[in-house]
Each structure stands twice: as C-alpha cells, then as structure tokens.
Amino acid sequence: MVTIQDVAKAAGVSAMTVSHVINDHPHVKNETRERVLRAIADLDYRVNVAARNLRTGRTGTIGLAVPEVDRPYYGQLAAEIITAAARHGLKVAIEQTGASREGELDALALSRNRLYDGLILSTVGLGPADTDLLRVDYPMVILGERIFDGPVDHVAMPNVEGARAATAHLIERGCRRIALIEGTPGDEVDVSGLRYDGYREALGEAGIPLDPRLLVHIPALTMEQGAAATRRLRESGVEVDGVFCVTDTVAIGVLRGFADAGVRVPQEVKVIGFDNIAEGAYAVPSLSSVDPDHPLMASTAVRFLVGRLAEKGKKQQVAREFISRFTVVARESTG
C-alpha cells in the first residue's frame, strides 16, 4: 500500500506538505501543489478514509442536493462532483429537491441531521430573498445560477456571458430573427432571466430590435416542452431563422419539433443550446452549445467545501464567489 511518506519522497517534500495539499491548505505554493498532485497520481495514492475519520471525527461523506436526478445536465454534474470528491478521499450522497424551493429548504434543514460533513446545493427554487436561510452551522457551497450575495461560497454559471455568446454565434452565422425559448418568468432572478439578459444584450450590440413575438415561454425546461414550443412558433407564423434555447434539454426537443415539421436544421433555421450535455453531440444534427466547463465547476465547488471543512470551528472567512469560464461549441445545428 502506498503511504503518505511514499508520496512525500516522490515529490521531494515533507509528509506534512502532502497532507496540506490533500486537505487543500491555502498556503501551499502552486508549483509544490502540482508536484505533489503528480506524485499522488503517479503512485495511485488513496487517502485512508477510515483512519482520517477516527482522527478528525468526520464521516468522509458530503451531500449533493440537485433538483432532478433524471435530467442529463444534473446527472453529468453529479458525476463530475463525485470524481472531484474522490480526489479528496470523499464520498458523495445525492438527494433530489424536486426543483422546488420547499425541497431545497428541506435539504438545508435535514443535512445537519444526516451523516454529511458538508453540503453542495444546486439551487433553482431559492432566490435572493432567501439569503438569510443559508446561514447554516455546517460547511456549504451553493452551485448554480449567479443569484446570491449570501454568506456561503458560491460557484456560479456564466449565464449572461454564455447566453450573449450563444446569441452572437447565431448572428455571426447570418441569423436575424432569433427566437429565445425559456422558462416562465417569475419574481426571482433565475437561469432563464439571466440568459434572457445575455440574449437581449447580444441583439442590442448587433443593432437587431428585440421582437417580443420571438420570446417563447415554457412551463418546464424539458424536451417535450421544447418540441411543443417549436410547434407554437410554427403556428404563429412569425419568421424565425435562429433559436437559442436556455438549456440543451430544451434544444434537443426543438430539434425534434423542427424535424417533425420538415424544417431543415441548420439550412432553414439554426439552433443552439446551453450546458453542453453529452447527448447533444449525438443528436441529429449534432447540437451547438455553450460549455460552462462542468469539471472546473465541480472541482471548484468541492475544493471550496474541503477548505471550509478544514476551517470548521474557526472564525468564518469571507464568502467566495467563482464564475466558471465557458466556450461556444459549434456543431452541425448552427452549420
């Protein structure tokens, strides 16, 4: 069995330095951290979780609360969280909140009573008005839309920036009548509202007037509703040459709707989504999308949580916010 001393010898550092790297100690030089991580990977070193739990009083398990486990996006995100947590010797327990504020509040209330060392919460129901509810007595990281100035660490999606780039991508390919398929507007800022802002900004920068008839609201961000939205667009008679969907799941439904209507994508209308889920690459045509770098978001969320675990019992530090980078992945659906 490879020991921490073996890793230290291979990396040319002390065993204490290896421990600091494993526990994400902030005062380790980047060059040293990379050398230790390389040695850990080369030697296939695994943290002795049982021994660490006895020493620290921790379970070695963190919670991950997501809206729906049967959506491709959340399944992909959960897989990345599990992979990132494993690098720190942690297991992940997943619970479903049902994409509701009540479910997310339940996750907050119940997590302190479960055998979790901390919680990563992917929110869709909670909003800025719920900030005070996030003042919990255990380590927590919020993952998702950029809607909080709250008291906990937050790893956010590049919603506005990514949506602006997606819309600009359609404009660059000659689209001028671009529909937006989004969720139903609410009182709180949510993913649809933020991505609408990016869509509107891109149109404004290109000098294209915003046409309210091109805004299609759907009650749920599903493939079924995406297909239904396409039918509504067709029946309205409004001219459309591009469609930006606020999620890939919706966009795959839109592709199905256009196929059923005999509309060729991308020859007659171009389509782009957001999230870059794996299924998009295998749609026909393959789906262009905004990739928010799920591995980076997951590793950052876990790193933040591990850092807070190391600080447990100490004075709470200032909450951190990280906004992920993104790229536009061009595939067949935009030509």
Side-chain angles (χ1 to χ4, degrees), residues 204-217:
E205 290 168 2
I208 299 174
L210 177 66
D211 186 344
R213 295 176 300 169
L214 291 171
L215 304 178
V216 183
H217 304 296

Side-chain angles (χ1 to χ4, degrees), residues 184-201:
T184 303
D187 295 331
E188 298 283 7
V189 177
D190 62 5
V191 62
S192 287
L194 292 168
R195 293 177 188 176
Y196 163 77
D197 288 343
Y199 162 84
R200 177 176 48 80
E201 289 176 11

Side-chain angles (χ1 to χ4, degrees), residues 62-66 81 118-122 140-143 298 301-302 305:
I62 60 173
L64 171 63
V66 297
I81 292 284
L119 176 69
I120 296 175
L121 174 63
S122 178
M140 181 171 67
V141 174
I142 296 293
L143 181 63
V302 172
L305 194 64

Side-chain angles (χ1 to χ4, degrees), residues 269-297:
V269 61
K270 303 185 192 309
V271 178
I272 191 168
F274 197 117
D275 291 330
N276 196 32
I277 62 174
E279 290 79 357
Y282 297 94
V284 180
S286 57
L287 178 64
S288 295
S289 184
V290 175
D291 182 352
D293 200 336
H294 297 108
L296 178 62
M297 291 182 65

Side-chain angles (χ1 to χ4, degrees), residues 6 13 16 24 51 53 61 66 88 119 141 159 190 198 211 243 247 261 279 320 332:
D6 295 328
V13 299
M16 180 63 73
D24 203 34
N53 290 352
T61 300
V66 297
H88 294 272
L119 176 69
V141 174
N159 286 298
D190 62 5
D211 186 344
V243 180
T247 73
E279 290 79 357
R320 297 166 290 187
E332 295 167 347

Side-chain angles (χ1 to χ4, degrees), residues 2 6-13 18 21-22 29-45 87:
V2 178
D6 295 328
V7 174
K9 184 177 179 181
V13 299
V18 175
V21 172
I22 291 171
K29 293 181 180 178
N30 288 336
E31 180 184 347
T32 303
R33 187 185 304 276
E34 290 173 6
R35 195 162 69 246
V36 171
L37 291 174
R38 266 199 312 273
I40 288 173
D42 291 344
L43 297 174
D44 196 25
Y45 172 71
R87 290 196 289 267

